[in-house]
Amino acid sequence: MEGERYAFLVEWYDSLAGIVRRYNFLFYPKDSSVEMIDVKNKRIFLKCTKEESIRLDHCYIGSSVNLHGRQLKFVEYSDTFTKTKLSMAKEKTLAIFKPDIMEKMPLLLEILCTEGLQICDVKTVVLSKSAAEEFYREHCAKPFFRTLVSFMTEGPIMALSLLADNAVSRWRELIGPTNSADARSQAPDSLRARFGTDQTRNACHGSDSVVSAERETEFFFGAGNSSSRGLQVPAEFDNCTLCLVKPYTMTQGLLGRVARDIVQAGFDISAMQMYHFDKSTAEEFLEVYRGVVAEYSEMVSELCSGACVAMALTHQHGSACVEQFRQFVGPADPEIARHLRPSTLRAKYGHNKLKNAVHCTDLADDGMLEVEYFFKILQ
Ligand code: UDP
Ligand code: MG
């Protein structure tokens, strides 16, 4: 690791100039420093700077990172060292938590984290009949096809794009044999053994090859309008509030634990989705804090620094959901939270005032607006 340097070609769409700019992006894992060189004029664009928010596992072909408000897309490896070291290792797969296991979703997210499977993308959807038929089209002539389609459309599911060394086979191994009964005899620790019921209601899906993984990832996360492709957002818009798990918390692998605490506190997570903020969207979302909170521009940068996950929440006891959740999140400053309200989310998972674990809706009237912003407008 000492002194290693990784090199990538990255692209940034400069919306002011209306052109795509290309840079050689150099990353030094030793101290997380980054240097960028403009490909066109060979000039240094960013001199070597420590960038704590960037980690080597964020840097792979197809990913994007946000650096100082610019969304950089990783397009190619730019030297052989980087290529040989990284290209064969990392692989993506597509996982689904099926309708029968959505109650255990927080626990499953924690398992992904402890197993070292990185979540590159995630969303909850309800599949239409035709979308489920399309997803499982290879099985259309099988006797179990109708049963399978009706099972997969009975409620929300969670689709995840996972990244790891040999992700396809590792996730297949973790979920176990197709039939949950076989799983219990052959692989008792597997997820299908632990959480599945029979040969249909078997808790999880996993792509069977890299090629299937690409098709299935495109199916859920490809560009274009989801609802026109039969992927409906299950968000509940009545008496709701928004929780946004911030980028730093995501990089710490805390999504599952945060979700578990939220559910244990009596909230229901009706929908969840990952987003990458660019600077102008973050400014728009945080507009109400401009001129009010001294750290406004740092808040914007923090929100842009990586992936975050939005959750639409309701509460068992109805109407005061926004205020109830705000209480549960705790004071904005995690230090204060740890002194005054040690069981709150920010006390448990916050790092400092900016990296304070989650954003939550502040005003009762804004609950629905913020949930709609993520689960309708940004869709
Ligand atoms: N399935 C079923 N009956 C069967 C075999 C499969 O209902 O006899 C369902 C089950 O939910 C399975 C899905 O169809 O996960 C896809 O089947 P496949 O053979 O591709 O199994 P997988 O790849 O999911 O292990
Ligand atoms: Mg299969």
Side-chain angles (χ1 to χ4, degrees):
M1 191 82 156
E2 187 67 22
E4 278 180 359
R5 189 195 82 171
Y6 293 83
F8 306 85
L9 178 71
V10 301
E11 289 181 350
W12 169 56
Y13 178 66
D14 180 348
S15 56
L16 281 180
I19 50 172
V20 175
R21 301 192 186 277
R22 292 152 73 87
Y23 303 96
N24 202 4
F25 180 100
L26 307 173
F27 182 70
Y28 303 84
K30 187 170 61 121
D31 59 353
S32 284
S33 58
V34 171
E35 185 178 0
M36 282 169 71
I37 296 154
D38 193 312
V39 169
K40 210 164 155 196
N41 59 25
K42 307 268 187 296
R43 290 214 193 104
I44 290 183
F45 175 75
L46 174 75
K47 65 175 200 301
C48 207
T49 337
K50 195 166 167 150
E51 298 292 349
E52 272 173 348
S53 63
I54 301 207
R55 294 199 326 236
L56 187 57
D57 59 4
H58 300 151
C59 307
Y60 55 90
I61 305 313
S63 85
S64 32
V65 303
N66 203 296
L67 193 61
H68 307 299
R70 292 187 175 82
Q71 194 77 27
L72 305 174
K73 196 165 183 296
F74 284 76
V75 193
E76 269 173 44
Y77 304 107
S78 34
D79 65 18
T80 19
F81 168 77
T82 309
K83 188 168 181 185
T84 42
K85 192 94 191 228
L86 300 183
S87 66
M88 35 185 213
K90 293 285 177 194
E91 188 174 274
K92 274 192 190 178
T93 194
L94 191 278
I96 298 176
F97 303 158
K98 296 187 180 184
D100 60 328
I101 207 189
M102 284 298 281
E103 269 188 14
K104 298 265 172 20
M105 174 270 285
L107 172 62
L108 290 164
L109 292 173
E110 285 184 64
I111 293 174
L112 293 179
C113 176
T114 44
E115 293 292 334
L117 289 148
Q118 191 190 333
I119 303 171
C120 297
D121 217 339
V122 55
K123 67 159 85 147
T124 48
V125 298
V126 175
L127 291 175
S128 70
K129 182 164 166 280
S130 59
E133 287 168 351
E134 168 62 19
F135 184 78
Y136 279 118
R137 66 186 179 203
E138 65 181 299
H139 296 306
C140 67
K142 307 264 175 66
F144 60 79
F145 188 62
R146 287 287 128 227
T147 322
L148 173 61
V149 167
S150 100
F151 165 50
M152 289 302 289
T153 52
E154 75 181 28
I157 62 171
M158 177 172 274
L160 305 109
S161 164
L162 303 178
L163 180 81
D165 294 346
N166 307 310
V168 170
S169 57
R170 287 208 33 223
W171 176 243
R172 288 289 292 197
E173 175 138 7
L174 262 173
I175 64 179
T178 305
N179 187 326
S180 308
D182 296 342
R184 278 187 273 276
S185 58
Q186 293 160 26
D189 295 332
S190 67
L191 299 177
R192 281 167 166 173
R194 291 167 66 192
F195 305 119
T197 309
D198 53 30
Q199 75 273 32
T200 301
R201 307 178 76 82
N202 60 358
C204 299
H205 167 83
S207 309
D208 58 12
S209 67
V210 173
V211 175
S212 305
E214 273 169 20
R215 175 183 87 85
E216 294 173 358
T217 305
E218 181 65 23
F219 179 89
F220 284 104
F221 300 106
N225 186 309
S226 298
S227 65
S228 67
R229 291 183 291 145
L231 308 177
Q232 233 184 307
V233 177
E236 175 61 63
F237 296 103
D238 282 336
N239 294 321
C240 59
T241 193
L242 182 85
C243 172
L244 194 60
V245 182
K246 292 187 168 186
Y248 181 77
T249 316
M250 288 301 300
T251 63
Q252 302 300 100
L254 290 169
L255 180 64
R257 283 172 64 184
V258 170
R260 179 188 57 181
D261 286 7
I262 289 174
V263 171
Q264 267 173 5
F267 296 92
D268 182 52
I269 304 171
S270 67
M272 200 191 271
Q273 187 162 338
M274 182 177 279
Y275 295 89
H276 289 90
F277 273 97
D278 58 29
K279 189 154 180 255
S280 58
T281 317
E283 282 174 346
E284 181 182 72
F285 179 66
L286 296 171
E287 180 64 32
V288 292
Y289 303 101
R290 194 200 292 267
V292 178
V293 178
E295 299 88 355
Y296 168 75
S297 58
E298 287 88 348
M299 282 168 79
V300 169
S301 312
E302 175 57 25
L303 199 54
C304 295
S305 67
C308 55
V309 166
M311 299 181 193
L313 305 180
T314 52
H315 193 273
Q316 290 168 353
H317 306 302
S319 58
C321 183
V322 172
E323 184 49 30
Q324 271 171 319
F325 188 65
R326 225 167 59 87
Q327 291 296 324
F328 180 62
V329 165
D333 184 341
E335 279 311 324
I336 296 175
R338 282 188 272 274
H339 283 293
L340 301 181
R341 311 270 314 284
S343 60
T344 57
L345 286 180
R346 282 173 175 159
K348 288 169 78 175
Y349 307 116
H351 180 66
N352 60 29
K353 261 182 101 170
L354 288 170
K355 301 180 195 320
N356 62 357
V358 300
H359 160 90
C360 63
T361 308
D362 273 330
L363 303 170
D365 289 346
D366 291 345
M368 192 173 83
L369 291 175
E370 290 199 353
V371 171
E372 284 188 345
Y373 183 74
F374 280 93
F375 293 97
K376 276 191 186 158
I377 297 166
L378 293 185
Q379 286 299 312

mmCIF file with all atom_site columns, all heavy atoms in Angstrom, residues 314-328:
data_model
loop_
_atom_site.group_PDB
_atom_site.id
_atom_site.type_symbol
_atom_site.label_atom_id
_atom_site.label_alt_id
_atom_site.label_comp_id
_atom_site.label_asym_id
_atom_site.label_entity_id
_atom_site.label_seq_id
_atom_site.pdbx_PDB_ins_code
_atom_site.Cartn_x
_atom_site.Cartn_y
_atom_site.Cartn_z
_atom_site.occupancy
_atom_site.B_iso_or_equiv
_atom_site.pdbx_formal_charge
_atom_site.auth_seq_id
_atom_site.auth_comp_id
_atom_site.auth_asym_id
_atom_site.auth_atom_id
_atom_site.pdbx_PDB_model_num
ATOM 1   N N   . THR A 1 314 ? -43.271 6.862  8.259  1.00 0.00 ? 314 THR A N   1
ATOM 2   C CA  . THR A 1 314 ? -44.523 7.178  8.954  1.00 0.00 ? 314 THR A CA  1
ATOM 3   C C   . THR A 1 314 ? -44.372 6.612  10.367 1.00 0.00 ? 314 THR A C   1
ATOM 4   O O   . THR A 1 314 ? -43.422 5.885  10.636 1.00 0.00 ? 314 THR A O   1
ATOM 5   C CB  . THR A 1 314 ? -45.747 6.526  8.279  1.00 0.00 ? 314 THR A CB  1
ATOM 6   O OG1 . THR A 1 314 ? -45.483 5.130  8.121  1.00 0.00 ? 314 THR A OG1 1
ATOM 7   C CG2 . THR A 1 314 ? -46.036 7.142  6.923  1.00 0.00 ? 314 THR A CG2 1
ATOM 8   N N   . HIS A 1 315 ? -45.300 6.967  11.255 1.00 0.00 ? 315 HIS A N   1
ATOM 9   C CA  . HIS A 1 315 ? -45.204 6.429  12.616 1.00 0.00 ? 315 HIS A CA  1
ATOM 10  C C   . HIS A 1 315 ? -46.480 5.681  12.965 1.00 0.00 ? 315 HIS A C   1
ATOM 11  O O   . HIS A 1 315 ? -47.570 6.067  12.557 1.00 0.00 ? 315 HIS A O   1
ATOM 12  C CB  . HIS A 1 315 ? -44.967 7.554  13.631 1.00 0.00 ? 315 HIS A CB  1
ATOM 13  C CG  . HIS A 1 315 ? -44.551 7.035  14.982 1.00 0.00 ? 315 HIS A CG  1
ATOM 14  N ND1 . HIS A 1 315 ? -45.461 6.665  15.941 1.00 0.00 ? 315 HIS A ND1 1
ATOM 15  C CD2 . HIS A 1 315 ? -43.328 6.788  15.502 1.00 0.00 ? 315 HIS A CD2 1
ATOM 16  C CE1 . HIS A 1 315 ? -44.810 6.212  17.020 1.00 0.00 ? 315 HIS A CE1 1
ATOM 17  N NE2 . HIS A 1 315 ? -43.514 6.289  16.772 1.00 0.00 ? 315 HIS A NE2 1
ATOM 18  N N   . GLN A 1 316 ? -46.306 4.582  13.713 1.00 0.00 ? 316 GLN A N   1
ATOM 19  C CA  . GLN A 1 316 ? -47.446 3.765  14.158 1.00 0.00 ? 316 GLN A CA  1
ATOM 20  C C   . GLN A 1 316 ? -48.583 4.613  14.708 1.00 0.00 ? 316 GLN A C   1
ATOM 21  O O   . GLN A 1 316 ? -49.742 4.356  14.446 1.00 0.00 ? 316 GLN A O   1
ATOM 22  C CB  . GLN A 1 316 ? -47.002 2.839  15.301 1.00 0.00 ? 316 GLN A CB  1
ATOM 23  C CG  . GLN A 1 316 ? -46.078 1.745  14.898 1.00 0.00 ? 316 GLN A CG  1
ATOM 24  C CD  . GLN A 1 316 ? -45.451 1.064  16.121 1.00 0.00 ? 316 GLN A CD  1
ATOM 25  O OE1 . GLN A 1 316 ? -45.634 1.509  17.250 1.00 0.00 ? 316 GLN A OE1 1
ATOM 26  N NE2 . GLN A 1 316 ? -44.724 -0.015 15.882 1.00 0.00 ? 316 GLN A NE2 1
ATOM 27  N N   . HIS A 1 317 ? -48.214 5.638  15.514 1.00 0.00 ? 317 HIS A N   1
ATOM 28  C CA  . HIS A 1 317 ? -49.261 6.414  16.157 1.00 0.00 ? 317 HIS A CA  1
ATOM 29  C C   . HIS A 1 317 ? -49.583 7.697  15.409 1.00 0.00 ? 317 HIS A C   1
ATOM 30  O O   . HIS A 1 317 ? -49.811 8.744  15.997 1.00 0.00 ? 317 HIS A O   1
ATOM 31  C CB  . HIS A 1 317 ? -48.910 6.695  17.621 1.00 0.00 ? 317 HIS A CB  1
ATOM 32  C CG  . HIS A 1 317 ? -48.590 5.457  18.376 1.00 0.00 ? 317 HIS A CG  1
ATOM 33  N ND1 . HIS A 1 317 ? -49.471 4.403  18.487 1.00 0.00 ? 317 HIS A ND1 1
ATOM 34  C CD2 . HIS A 1 317 ? -47.458 5.060  19.004 1.00 0.00 ? 317 HIS A CD2 1
ATOM 35  C CE1 . HIS A 1 317 ? -48.905 3.425  19.173 1.00 0.00 ? 317 HIS A CE1 1
ATOM 36  N NE2 . HIS A 1 317 ? -47.680 3.797  19.486 1.00 0.00 ? 317 HIS A NE2 1
ATOM 37  N N   . GLY A 1 318 ? -49.454 7.620  14.082 1.00 0.00 ? 318 GLY A N   1
ATOM 38  C CA  . GLY A 1 318 ? -50.060 8.644  13.250 1.00 0.00 ? 318 GLY A CA  1
ATOM 39  C C   . GLY A 1 318 ? -49.426 10.005 13.117 1.00 0.00 ? 318 GLY A C   1
ATOM 40  O O   . GLY A 1 318 ? -48.300 10.138 12.681 1.00 0.00 ? 318 GLY A O   1
ATOM 41  N N   . SER A 1 319 ? -50.159 11.013 13.564 1.00 0.00 ? 319 SER A N   1
ATOM 42  C CA  . SER A 1 319 ? -50.048 12.336 12.964 1.00 0.00 ? 319 SER A CA  1
ATOM 43  C C   . SER A 1 319 ? -48.794 13.148 13.268 1.00 0.00 ? 319 SER A C   1
ATOM 44  O O   . SER A 1 319 ? -48.311 13.861 12.411 1.00 0.00 ? 319 SER A O   1
ATOM 45  C CB  . SER A 1 319 ? -51.283 13.143 13.342 1.00 0.00 ? 319 SER A CB  1
ATOM 46  O OG  . SER A 1 319 ? -51.343 13.183 14.756 1.00 0.00 ? 319 SER A OG  1
ATOM 47  N N   . ALA A 1 320 ? -48.228 13.045 14.476 1.00 0.00 ? 320 ALA A N   1
ATOM 48  C CA  . ALA A 1 320 ? -47.126 13.950 14.811 1.00 0.00 ? 320 ALA A CA  1
ATOM 49  C C   . ALA A 1 320 ? -45.769 13.393 14.377 1.00 0.00 ? 320 ALA A C   1
ATOM 50  O O   . ALA A 1 320 ? -44.758 13.578 15.036 1.00 0.00 ? 320 ALA A O   1
ATOM 51  C CB  . ALA A 1 320 ? -47.130 14.254 16.296 1.00 0.00 ? 320 ALA A CB  1
ATOM 52  N N   . CYS A 1 321 ? -45.786 12.719 13.261 1.00 0.00 ? 321 CYS A N   1
ATOM 53  C CA  . CYS A 1 321 ? -44.617 11.976 12.804 1.00 0.00 ? 321 CYS A CA  1
ATOM 54  C C   . CYS A 1 321 ? -43.354 12.836 12.681 1.00 0.00 ? 321 CYS A C   1
ATOM 55  O O   . CYS A 1 321 ? -42.273 12.428 13.106 1.00 0.00 ? 321 CYS A O   1
ATOM 56  C CB  . CYS A 1 321 ? -44.978 11.364 11.454 1.00 0.00 ? 321 CYS A CB  1
ATOM 57  S SG  . CYS A 1 321 ? -43.731 10.345 10.767 1.00 0.00 ? 321 CYS A SG  1
ATOM 58  N N   . VAL A 1 322 ? -43.486 14.031 12.106 1.00 0.00 ? 322 VAL A N   1
ATOM 59  C CA  . VAL A 1 322 ? -42.306 14.887 11.888 1.00 0.00 ? 322 VAL A CA  1
ATOM 60  C C   . VAL A 1 322 ? -41.642 15.207 13.219 1.00 0.00 ? 322 VAL A C   1
ATOM 61  O O   . VAL A 1 322 ? -40.439 15.034 13.393 1.00 0.00 ? 322 VAL A O   1
ATOM 62  C CB  . VAL A 1 322 ? -42.696 16.192 11.150 1.00 0.00 ? 322 VAL A CB  1
ATOM 63  C CG1 . VAL A 1 322 ? -41.518 17.153 11.100 1.00 0.00 ? 322 VAL A CG1 1
ATOM 64  C CG2 . VAL A 1 322 ? -43.194 15.871 9.746  1.00 0.00 ? 322 VAL A CG2 1
ATOM 65  N N   . GLU A 1 323 ? -42.444 15.662 14.197 1.00 0.00 ? 323 GLU A N   1
ATOM 66  C CA  . GLU A 1 323 ? -41.901 16.049 15.492 1.00 0.00 ? 323 GLU A CA  1
ATOM 67  C C   . GLU A 1 323 ? -41.353 14.827 16.241 1.00 0.00 ? 323 GLU A C   1
ATOM 68  O O   . GLU A 1 323 ? -40.272 14.876 16.827 1.00 0.00 ? 323 GLU A O   1
ATOM 69  C CB  . GLU A 1 323 ? -42.989 16.762 16.309 1.00 0.00 ? 323 GLU A CB  1
ATOM 70  C CG  . GLU A 1 323 ? -42.529 17.311 17.646 1.00 0.00 ? 323 GLU A CG  1
ATOM 71  C CD  . GLU A 1 323 ? -41.243 18.147 17.577 1.00 0.00 ? 323 GLU A CD  1
ATOM 72  O OE1 . GLU A 1 323 ? -40.995 18.778 16.526 1.00 0.00 ? 323 GLU A OE1 1
ATOM 73  O OE2 . GLU A 1 323 ? -40.479 18.157 18.570 1.00 0.00 ? 323 GLU A OE2 1
ATOM 74  N N   . GLN A 1 324 ? -42.079 13.723 16.170 1.00 0.00 ? 324 GLN A N   1
ATOM 75  C CA  . GLN A 1 324 ? -41.605 12.501 16.840 1.00 0.00 ? 324 GLN A CA  1
ATOM 76  C C   . GLN A 1 324 ? -40.257 12.070 16.304 1.00 0.00 ? 324 GLN A C   1
ATOM 77  O O   . GLN A 1 324 ? -39.365 11.690 17.048 1.00 0.00 ? 324 GLN A O   1
ATOM 78  C CB  . GLN A 1 324 ? -42.610 11.362 16.622 1.00 0.00 ? 324 GLN A CB  1
ATOM 79  C CG  . GLN A 1 324 ? -43.676 11.308 17.680 1.00 0.00 ? 324 GLN A CG  1
ATOM 80  C CD  . GLN A 1 324 ? -44.751 10.312 17.303 1.00 0.00 ? 324 GLN A CD  1
ATOM 81  O OE1 . GLN A 1 324 ? -45.170 10.222 16.151 1.00 0.00 ? 324 GLN A OE1 1
ATOM 82  N NE2 . GLN A 1 324 ? -45.194 9.550  18.274 1.00 0.00 ? 324 GLN A NE2 1
ATOM 83  N N   . PHE A 1 325 ? -40.105 12.148 14.991 1.00 0.00 ? 325 PHE A N   1
ATOM 84  C CA  . PHE A 1 325 ? -38.847 11.707 14.421 1.00 0.00 ? 325 PHE A CA  1
ATOM 85  C C   . PHE A 1 325 ? -37.717 12.684 14.745 1.00 0.00 ? 325 PHE A C   1
ATOM 86  O O   . PHE A 1 325 ? -36.588 12.290 15.010 1.00 0.00 ? 325 PHE A O   1
ATOM 87  C CB  . PHE A 1 325 ? -38.971 11.484 12.902 1.00 0.00 ? 325 PHE A CB  1
ATOM 88  C CG  . PHE A 1 325 ? -37.744 10.844 12.333 1.00 0.00 ? 325 PHE A CG  1
ATOM 89  C CD1 . PHE A 1 325 ? -37.363 9.552  12.700 1.00 0.00 ? 325 PHE A CD1 1
ATOM 90  C CD2 . PHE A 1 325 ? -36.922 11.531 11.450 1.00 0.00 ? 325 PHE A CD2 1
ATOM 91  C CE1 . PHE A 1 325 ? -36.204 8.970  12.211 1.00 0.00 ? 325 PHE A CE1 1
ATOM 92  C CE2 . PHE A 1 325 ? -35.763 10.952 10.951 1.00 0.00 ? 325 PHE A CE2 1
ATOM 93  C CZ  . PHE A 1 325 ? -35.405 9.666  11.333 1.00 0.00 ? 325 PHE A CZ  1
ATOM 94  N N   . ARG A 1 326 ? -38.048 13.967 14.751 1.00 0.00 ? 326 ARG A N   1
ATOM 95  C CA  . ARG A 1 326 ? -37.030 14.966 15.082 1.00 0.00 ? 326 ARG A CA  1
ATOM 96  C C   . ARG A 1 326 ? -36.492 14.738 16.504 1.00 0.00 ? 326 ARG A C   1
ATOM 97  O O   . ARG A 1 326 ? -35.301 14.832 16.751 1.00 0.00 ? 326 ARG A O   1
ATOM 98  C CB  . ARG A 1 326 ? -37.630 16.370 14.966 1.00 0.00 ? 326 ARG A CB  1
ATOM 99  C CG  . ARG A 1 326 ? -36.733 17.356 14.239 1.00 0.00 ? 326 ARG A CG  1
ATOM 100 C CD  . ARG A 1 326 ? -37.512 18.601 13.885 1.00 0.00 ? 326 ARG A CD  1
ATOM 101 N NE  . ARG A 1 326 ? -38.058 19.222 15.083 1.00 0.00 ? 326 ARG A NE  1
ATOM 102 C CZ  . ARG A 1 326 ? -37.397 20.108 15.823 1.00 0.00 ? 326 ARG A CZ  1
ATOM 103 N NH1 . ARG A 1 326 ? -36.189 20.479 15.482 1.00 0.00 ? 326 ARG A NH1 1
ATOM 104 N NH2 . ARG A 1 326 ? -37.949 20.630 16.889 1.00 0.00 ? 326 ARG A NH2 1
ATOM 105 N N   . GLN A 1 327 ? -37.393 14.416 17.412 1.00 0.00 ? 327 GLN A N   1
ATOM 106 C CA  . GLN A 1 327 ? -36.979 14.088 18.778 1.00 0.00 ? 327 GLN A CA  1
ATOM 107 C C   . GLN A 1 327 ? -36.042 12.886 18.789 1.00 0.00 ? 327 GLN A C   1
ATOM 108 O O   . GLN A 1 327 ? -35.056 12.856 19.506 1.00 0.00 ? 327 GLN A O   1
ATOM 109 C CB  . GLN A 1 327 ? -38.213 13.769 19.650 1.00 0.00 ? 327 GLN A CB  1
ATOM 110 C CG  . GLN A 1 327 ? -39.102 14.966 19.940 1.00 0.00 ? 327 GLN A CG  1
ATOM 111 C CD  . GLN A 1 327 ? -38.376 16.014 20.772 1.00 0.00 ? 327 GLN A CD  1
ATOM 112 O OE1 . GLN A 1 327 ? -37.575 15.680 21.638 1.00 0.00 ? 327 GLN A OE1 1
ATOM 113 N NE2 . GLN A 1 327 ? -38.619 17.294 20.484 1.00 0.00 ? 327 GLN A NE2 1
ATOM 114 N N   . PHE A 1 328 ? -36.382 11.913 17.978 1.00 0.00 ? 328 PHE A N   1
ATOM 115 C CA  . PHE A 1 328 ? -35.602 10.678 17.942 1.00 0.00 ? 328 PHE A CA  1
ATOM 116 C C   . PHE A 1 328 ? -34.224 10.882 17.302 1.00 0.00 ? 328 PHE A C   1
ATOM 117 O O   . PHE A 1 328 ? -33.255 10.213 17.637 1.00 0.00 ? 328 PHE A O   1
ATOM 118 C CB  . PHE A 1 328 ? -36.394 9.607  17.180 1.00 0.00 ? 328 PHE A CB  1
ATOM 119 C CG  . PHE A 1 328 ? -35.687 8.293  17.078 1.00 0.00 ? 328 PHE A CG  1
ATOM 120 C CD1 . PHE A 1 328 ? -35.362 7.579  18.226 1.00 0.00 ? 328 PHE A CD1 1
ATOM 121 C CD2 . PHE A 1 328 ? -35.341 7.773  15.847 1.00 0.00 ? 328 PHE A CD2 1
ATOM 122 C CE1 . PHE A 1 328 ? -34.685 6.367  18.139 1.00 0.00 ? 328 PHE A CE1 1
ATOM 123 C CE2 . PHE A 1 328 ? -34.670 6.567  15.741 1.00 0.00 ? 328 PHE A CE2 1
ATOM 124 C CZ  . PHE A 1 328 ? -34.349 5.858  16.897 1.00 0.00 ? 328 PHE A CZ  1
#
